[in-house]
């Protein structure tokens, strides 16, 4: 029993370390603000429930659902309010929706895995009314000749004109050819700017996190086609951009990778090759919590290479003395570039130590890499 209790305590401590409570406040049903700390999670997780502490030292947190409070806000401006919508015939669903726009019209977003499926809530602060807009359904109709065709319903346009009845004087919603949350958000922002003298206008920008990492690698194999490798190594530099309010498991990467290899052939001639791969776009999938975090990445780009052969030629000079002369032959080129790797990140405070493996182009083995992420 003591061993089980000990393991349980370790698991609880690991979980506590991986959790981050950020300064925030909740708004009660009586419209009172209570300051404290809320567990930091992605939007999809935080829309259904939150964990709240009045003090960081509190052992237990308070669980709030959208039926318990009117909303909450982090100190960085990330704010959610309770919204409702009808699902099915008469089921009322309660959620916390994130406020993206404030002005004459407040706009809130209920985030889902697909951006086109998310719900938008628009509140007219003058009329104090709210409408819910979601992706329209496809309607199938039959022509006179019996052929079928489908089209989108335009209910969302009617709701937009209802919640902002004077918008037709300023914005042409009917110019939206198909349902697009981005277009609706863009036009609501433009609409609010027209009434900036009457209402406080603000637009929330989601947090963007940038990390940089550098890796140095050496290969596991020391020969190539029976020849002897002299020197080979790999250096890589990456920039990873992520949006932690959307996901903690995916980041967008870019960077460059340099590989150098030199070897001797059977005649003791030296060859060397340089690979410089530029990666403008790539993806990094990783675990979001814990001290040890596995990851894998895949990047696309272009590779510049330079192959040099140093050939030693023997000849006799005018005095009949045997001489050696080294001639350099070069080849340049461009190739499609692909960068892949997998490994683990070990958390050290706010930074990470990286241990990863990547394929070695020349000798067919792998590079063992060690790096650092800041």
């Amino acid at each position: 029993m003591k061993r089980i209790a000990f393991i349980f305590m370790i698991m609880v401590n690991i979980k506590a370390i991986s959790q981050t409570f950020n300064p925030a406040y909740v708004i009660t049903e009586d419209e009172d603000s209570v300051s404290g700390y809320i567990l930091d999670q992605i939007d999809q997780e935080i829309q259904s429930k939150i964990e709240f502490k009045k003090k960081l030292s509190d052992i237990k947190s308070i669980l709030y659902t959208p039926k318990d409070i009117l909303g909450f806000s982090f100190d960085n401006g990330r704010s959610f309010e309770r919204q409702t919508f009808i699902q099915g015939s008469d089921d009322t669903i309660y959620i916390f929706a994130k406020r993206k726009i404030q002005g004459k019209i407040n706009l809130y977003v209920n985030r889902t895995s697909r951006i086109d499926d998310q719900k938008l809530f628009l509140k007219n602060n003058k009329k104090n009314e709210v409408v819910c807009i979601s992706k329209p359904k496809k309607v199938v109709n039959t022509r006179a000749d019996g052929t079928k065709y489908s089209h989108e319903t335009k209910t969302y346009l009617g709701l937009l004109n209802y919640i902002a009845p004077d918008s037709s004087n300023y914005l042409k919603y009917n110019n939206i050819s198909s349902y697009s949350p981005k277009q609706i958000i863009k036009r609501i922002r433009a609409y609010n700017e027209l009434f900036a003298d009457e209402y406080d206008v603000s637009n929330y920008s989601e947090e963007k996190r940038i990390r940089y990492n550098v890796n140095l690698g050496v290969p596991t194999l020391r020969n190539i086609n029976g020849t002897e490798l002299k020197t080979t190594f790999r250096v890589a530099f990456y920039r990873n951009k992520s949006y932690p309010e959307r996901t903690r498991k995916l980041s967008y990467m870019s960077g460059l990778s340099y590989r150098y290899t030199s070897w001797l052939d059977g005649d003791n001639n030296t060859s060397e090759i340089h690979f410089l791969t530029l990666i403008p776009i790539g993806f990094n999938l990783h675990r979001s919590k814990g001290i040890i975090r596995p990851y894998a990445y895949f990047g696309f780009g272009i590779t510049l290479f330079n192959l040099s052969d140093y050939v030693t030629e023997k000849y006799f000079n005018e005095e009949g003395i045997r001489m050696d002369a080294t001639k350099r032959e070069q080849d340049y080129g461009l190739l499609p570039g692909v960068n892949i790797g997998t490994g683990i990140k070990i958390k050290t405070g706010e930074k990470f130590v990286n241990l990863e493996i990547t394929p070695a182009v020349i000798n067919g083995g792998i590079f063992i890499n060690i790096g650092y992420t800041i």
Side-chain angles (χ1 to χ4, degrees):
M1 281 299 290
K2 290 183 178 180
R3 182 176 298 178
I4 294 174
F6 178 70
I7 294 173
F8 177 75
M9 289 177 62
I10 291 177
M11 293 176 64
V12 170
N13 287 332
I14 291 175
K15 181 181 179 182
I17 291 173
S18 64
Q19 292 181 328
T20 301
F21 282 80
N22 291 334
Y25 63 87
V26 298
I27 304 172
T28 67
E29 290 279 8
D30 298 328
E31 299 188 0
D32 292 330
S33 298
V34 181
S35 298
Y37 301 85
I38 294 176
L39 178 64
D40 183 29
Q41 296 174 293
I42 63 173
D43 288 349
Q44 282 183 261
E45 296 171 332
I46 214 167
Q47 289 171 159
S48 58
K49 61 182 183 300
I50 63 168
E51 293 186 40
F52 177 77
K53 290 183 177 182
K54 289 187 177 181
K55 297 179 181 178
L56 276 178
S57 57
D58 292 345
I59 298 175
K60 291 185 177 181
S61 57
I62 304 170
L63 185 66
Y64 286 124
T65 70
K67 290 185 178 181
D68 301 321
I69 57 176
L70 296 178
F72 60 91
S73 180
F74 291 93
D75 283 5
N76 66 356
R78 185 185 177 199
S79 181
F80 293 74
E81 291 185 23
R82 182 171 70 192
Q83 303 292 346
T84 62
F85 62 93
I86 303 298
Q87 184 169 283
S89 58
D90 55 0
D91 292 333
T92 301
I93 306 300
Y94 293 78
I95 61 164
F96 292 125
K98 182 162 70 174
R99 186 178 67 207
K100 289 185 69 71
I101 300 174
Q102 179 174 304
K104 183 175 182 179
I105 301 292
N106 285 5
L107 185 142
Y108 307 84
V109 176
N110 164 226
R111 176 155 280 148
T112 60
S113 57
R114 292 182 55 187
I115 188 169
D116 282 347
D117 289 339
Q118 65 188 2
K119 289 180 171 56
L120 302 180
F121 297 89
L122 286 80
K123 178 183 179 182
N124 185 310
N125 286 309
K126 183 176 182 179
K127 299 197 300 181
N128 198 29
E129 291 184 315
V130 179
V131 297
C132 175
I133 296 175
S134 59
K135 185 178 181 179
K137 296 179 180 180
K138 292 283 186 180
V139 177
V140 179
N141 296 108
T142 303
R143 297 186 178 93
D145 60 3
T147 59
K148 297 183 181 295
Y149 67 96
S150 63
H151 65 91
E152 282 186 352
T153 58
K154 300 292 184 179
T155 309
Y156 65 94
L157 293 177
L159 292 172
L160 285 170
N161 288 317
Y162 172 77
I163 201 66
D166 55 348
S167 61
S168 58
N169 298 327
Y170 310 99
L171 306 171
K172 301 299 183 183
Y173 290 124
N174 291 326
N175 291 342
I176 303 177
S177 58
S178 61
Y179 179 75
S180 169
K182 287 185 177 180
Q183 283 295 317
I184 293 173
I185 291 171
K186 178 180 178 180
R187 297 186 186 215
I188 292 298
R189 283 176 174 163
Y191 175 78
N192 280 340
E193 289 297 330
L194 298 172
F195 301 93
D197 293 338
E198 302 174 50
Y199 298 87
D200 291 332
V201 176
S202 64
N203 301 300
Y204 177 70
S205 297
E206 293 184 349
E207 179 187 359
K208 180 172 65 175
R209 189 173 296 167
I210 305 293
R211 286 190 179 275
Y212 300 93
N213 70 279
V214 59
N215 294 329
L216 176 63
V218 293
T220 57
L221 300 182
R222 301 301 298 172
N223 59 69
I224 169 174
N225 299 327
T227 62
E228 179 187 353
L229 282 176
K230 295 177 62 178
T231 305
T232 181
F233 63 89
R234 172 184 182 269
V235 178
F237 174 81
Y238 299 114
R239 175 183 183 267
N240 284 276
K241 178 173 65 175
S242 63
Y243 297 89
E245 296 178 23
R246 303 179 192 176
T247 177
R248 308 286 168 89
K249 298 180 180 180
L250 171 69
S251 60
Y252 304 93
M253 58 170 282
S254 59
L256 57 87
S257 171
Y258 171 73
R259 303 183 187 206
Y260 172 82
T261 300
S262 65
W263 64 91
L264 296 174
D265 64 15
D267 296 326
N268 211 34
N269 294 318
T270 299
S271 297
E272 65 179 16
I273 189 165
H274 305 262
F275 287 101
L276 179 63
T277 302
L278 307 177
I279 309 113
I281 183 170
F283 305 94
N284 187 310
L285 295 171
H286 49 267
R287 186 178 177 184
S288 60
K289 298 178 182 178
I291 297 175
I292 298 177
R293 306 182 184 184
Y295 67 90
Y297 62 84
F298 189 96
F300 304 91
I302 188 169
T303 297
L304 296 82
F305 73 87
N306 168 227
L307 173 62
S308 299
D309 294 319
Y310 297 89
V311 180
T312 301
E313 297 179 343
K314 303 182 184 300
Y315 67 95
F316 292 92
N317 64 12
E318 295 178 354
E319 287 79 21
I321 301 174
R322 185 172 178 175
M323 305 290 291
D324 292 341
T326 301
K327 182 173 67 172
R328 182 183 183 185
E329 299 176 351
Q330 294 192 83
D331 188 19
Y332 299 89
L334 292 175
L335 294 169
V338 176
N339 242 42
I340 60 175
T342 184
I344 59 172
K345 293 193 300 184
I346 304 171
K347 188 173 177 59
T348 57
E350 294 299 317
K351 301 176 177 61
F352 298 87
V353 173
N354 313 321
L355 298 173
E356 71 176 47
I357 57 173
T358 54
V361 176
I362 293 298
N363 59 15
I366 60 173
F367 277 99
I368 305 296
N369 303 270
I370 185 170
Y372 197 57
T373 298
I374 60 174

